[in-house]
Amino acid sequence: EAQVTQNPRYLITVTGKKLTVTCSQNMNHEYMSWYRQDPGLGLRQIYYSMNVEVTDKGDVPEGYKVSRKEKRNFPLILESPSPNQTSLYFCASSFRTGGYEQYFGPGTRLTVT
Amino acid sequence: GENVEQHPSTLSVQEGDSAVIKCTYSDSASNYFPWYKQELGKGPQLIIDIRSNVGEKKDQRIAVTLNKTAKHFSLHITETQPEDSAVYFCAASSNYQLIWGAGTKLIIKP
């Protein structure tokens, strides 16, 4: 089954404790992206990757890191989480960027206390 | 840069009635306009899309219209059903990136 998986689905952590949210897709997609979703603000892009070893900042990259060492995986790293990073996070992938359907993961609900 | 505005933020309609959600975009070079539906507890899912060389597209009860001159596009849902309750997002492709609207919460009243 074609899908995007994210782990963990729920995470409660404390300020400053490094964490990683994993994202994996099995569709051989070139493009992958991370979004955060906050009430009233819609989907805001954090980082995206157009292919292996190619990543770029989205609209809200501060406090986040990403890597794309393999085509299928695109982990999101929070080196020192803060309470303003409490949010719902989505990973997405598509064949290429631009005019192609994006497939979203189920989301990761992160709470930073 | 590109900006996409989506209205209304919340829409409540009686079951069986039609619902219309509207979006405007700023970049005249945008050429791809998808609509996504997000059900509670899930990620957004593409329901319909339209490209700039087409004015209208239909898929059963849903349709999208595009007015390139006015730079706006709309989602139309007819004969609404309880399962249409969700958050709907529009987006526009600009410089190979998707710019998202803020979302519309559609409520279907029984």
Side-chain angles (χ1 to χ4, degrees), chain B residues 2-66:
Chain B
E2 169 74 292
N3 183 49
V4 175
E5 293 190 0
Q6 182 172 348
H7 299 281
S9 57
T10 304
L11 178 60
S12 184
V13 302
Q14 206 69 39
E15 182 178 347
D17 288 350
S18 295
V20 180
I21 303 170
K22 299 181 179 181
C23 288
T24 60
Y25 60 99
S26 58
D27 184 356
S28 55
S30 294
N31 57 9
Y32 173 66
F33 308 90
W35 286 88
Y36 283 75
K37 176 183 181 182
Q38 184 181 23
E39 297 178 344
L40 199 60
K42 297 184 178 181
Q45 188 171 12
L46 180 72
I47 54 171
I48 195 167
D49 56 13
I50 192 168
R51 298 186 188 273
S52 58
N53 58 346
V54 175
E56 184 176 5
K57 184 176 179 181
K58 287 183 180 179
D59 183 3
Q60 299 183 340
R61 294 186 299 107
I62 60 173
V64 57
T65 59
L66 172 65

Side-chain angles (χ1 to χ4, degrees), chain B residues 64-94:
Chain B
V64 57
T65 59
L66 172 65
N67 183 327
K68 286 170 55 181
T69 303
K71 290 190 280 188
H72 67 70
F73 56 112
S74 301
L75 177 71
H76 304 254
I77 306 174
T78 59
E79 300 173 10
T80 53
Q81 300 171 5
E83 55 264 35
D84 296 328
S85 292
V87 177
Y88 292 81
F89 291 99
C90 65
S93 179
S94 175

Side-chain angles (χ1 to χ4, degrees), chain A residues 6 14 24 26 31 34 40 67 72 91 99 101 109:
Chain A
Q6 292 178 230
V14 296
S24 183
N26 63 359
Y31 181 85
W34 275 102
S67 68
R72 63 183 294 125
C91 179
E101 178 177 1
R109 173 78 65 184

